[in-house]
């Protein structure tokens, strides 16, 4: 059965979230005067990412809401019992620096261009539509996607099959005719595979662990240049897999 559509993750798949987050937080820490206690920049950045990942897990599990996870990231990182207004203000100042570093990965536009006539496109993110709609517009790719679905509005998040199926339903296609491309091996890769989609895990760093033996897992690629070949697209754009 042919693949008619591609559903995309955004952060660290299309958008270089990790680099933007690190660059933005680096500037924010300096502006807030938070590097004078002997803590190195790398230690602070590592701590911020650990706190962010932990709060995203809570959010995905329904233990907090979108704004709550933001506030708790600030409180845990600073180890201070800030009010909601204080936490919102601190996060807002960070966002200003973070947004200044927004950029697409260099392989994104070539891949979208190569697939524009052969496949339909949509987005499924574990974020909120308020954040991701604005981000896709700022990055100049919003009009590339028929549908933009986010967990905060869906009420269900990846890796739950219902999240992936919602994206398929928005396109009017069964899961086996839809591919999903994401950077997280479990949330995106195994989640999409378990939901019946053609799952493509982009592992740009090349250091992720493959699926457990005996379990159906995603196709693993190191660049979006490899995607058209997996989808069977009739295009000269593409490259052989970097993983043997």
């Amino acid at each position: 059965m042919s693949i008619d559509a591609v559903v995309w993750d955004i952060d660290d798949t299309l958008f270089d979230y990790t680099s933007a987050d690190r660059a933005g937080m680096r500037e924010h820490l300096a502006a807030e005067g938070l590097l004078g206690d002997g803590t190195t920049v790398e230690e602070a950045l590592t701590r911020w990412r650990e706190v962010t990942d932990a709060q995203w897990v809570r959010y995905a599990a329904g233990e907090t809401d979108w704004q709550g996870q933001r506030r708790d990231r600030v409180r845990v990182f600073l180890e201070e019992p800030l009010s909601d207004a204080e936490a919102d203000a601190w996060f807002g100042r960070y966002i200003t620096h973070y947004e200044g570093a927004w950029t697409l990965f260099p392989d994104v536009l070539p891949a979208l261009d190569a697939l524009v006539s052969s496949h339909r496109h949509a987005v499924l993110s574990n974020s909120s539509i308020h954040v991701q709609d604005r981000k896709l517009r700022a990055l100049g790719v919003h009009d590339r996607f028929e549908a933009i679905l986010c967990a905060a509005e869906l009420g269900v998040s990846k890796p739950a099959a219902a999240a992936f199926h919602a994206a398929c339903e928005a396109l009017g296609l069964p899961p086996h005719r839809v591919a999903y491309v994401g950077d997280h091996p479990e949330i995106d890769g195994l989640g999409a595979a378990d939901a019946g989609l053609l799952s493509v895990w982009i592992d740009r760093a090349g250091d992720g662990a493959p699926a457990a033996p005996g379990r159906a897992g995603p196709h693993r690629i190191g660049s979006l240049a490899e995607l058209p070949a997996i989808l069977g697209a009739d295009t000269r754009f593409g490259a052989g897999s970097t993983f043997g």
Side-chain angles (χ1 to χ4, degrees):
M1 186 69 67
S2 64
I3 298 298
D4 298 322
V6 182
V7 179
W8 301 81
D9 174 51
I10 297 177
D11 295 342
D12 279 333
T13 298
L14 299 173
F15 160 63
D16 191 353
Y17 167 77
T18 294
S19 294
D21 181 50
R22 285 176 60 85
M25 182 52 65
R26 186 186 297 270
E27 293 186 15
H28 183 53
L29 292 171
E32 297 287 309
L34 295 175
L35 297 175
D37 61 353
T39 300
T40 68
V41 172
E42 282 304 315
E43 288 171 342
L45 293 175
T46 297
R47 170 68 173 158
W48 175 248
R49 188 58 189 254
E50 290 172 348
V51 170
T52 297
D53 290 347
Q55 294 305 319
W56 268 107
V57 169
R58 293 184 61 241
Y59 170 68
E63 298 175 9
T64 185
D65 60 16
W66 173 254
Q67 196 64 26
Q69 61 84 22
R70 285 187 162 189
R71 292 166 177 162
D72 288 342
R73 283 160 69 183
V74 177
R75 291 171 178 138
V76 174
F77 179 73
L78 295 179
E79 298 181 340
E80 294 181 17
L82 301 180
S83 68
D84 286 352
E86 290 171 329
D88 289 345
W90 194 94
F91 199 92
R93 294 193 296 274
Y94 151 71
I95 285 291
T96 298
H97 298 293
Y98 161 64
E99 291 185 354
W102 281 2
T103 185
L104 295 169
F105 285 105
D107 58 358
V108 170
L109 291 180
L112 290 174
D113 287 344
L115 299 171
V116 67
S117 62
S118 58
H119 292 78
R120 299 163 62 194
H121 298 271
V123 161
L124 173 63
S125 166
N126 269 2
S127 184
S128 80
I129 192 68
H130 171 73
V131 171
Q132 300 296 48
D133 186 272
R134 180 169 173 271
K135 184 184 294 176
L136 292 172
R137 291 182 188 279
L139 293 169
V141 293
H142 184 276
D143 292 344
R144 300 275 191 150
F145 306 104
E146 291 183 32
I148 300 170
L149 292 85
C150 294
E153 291 72 32
L154 284 176
V156 62
S157 60
K158 304 174 293 181
F164 295 100
H165 292 165
C168 296
E169 290 168 9
L171 292 166
L173 293 170
H176 64 269
R177 289 175 59 186
V178 178
Y180 188 82
V181 183
D183 71 290
H184 196 287
E186 288 84 28
I187 293 174
D188 296 318
L190 292 178
D194 290 346
L197 287 74
L198 174 69
S199 178
V200 182
W201 164 34
I202 181 159
D203 180 19
R204 285 193 173 88
D207 56 5
R215 182 177 182 183
H219 294 268
R220 183 182 179 191
I221 61 176
S223 166
L224 293 181
E226 301 171 49
L227 184 60
I230 291 175
L231 300 179
D234 184 14
T235 172
R236 294 182 182 180
F237 175 80
S241 175
T242 57
F243 301 104

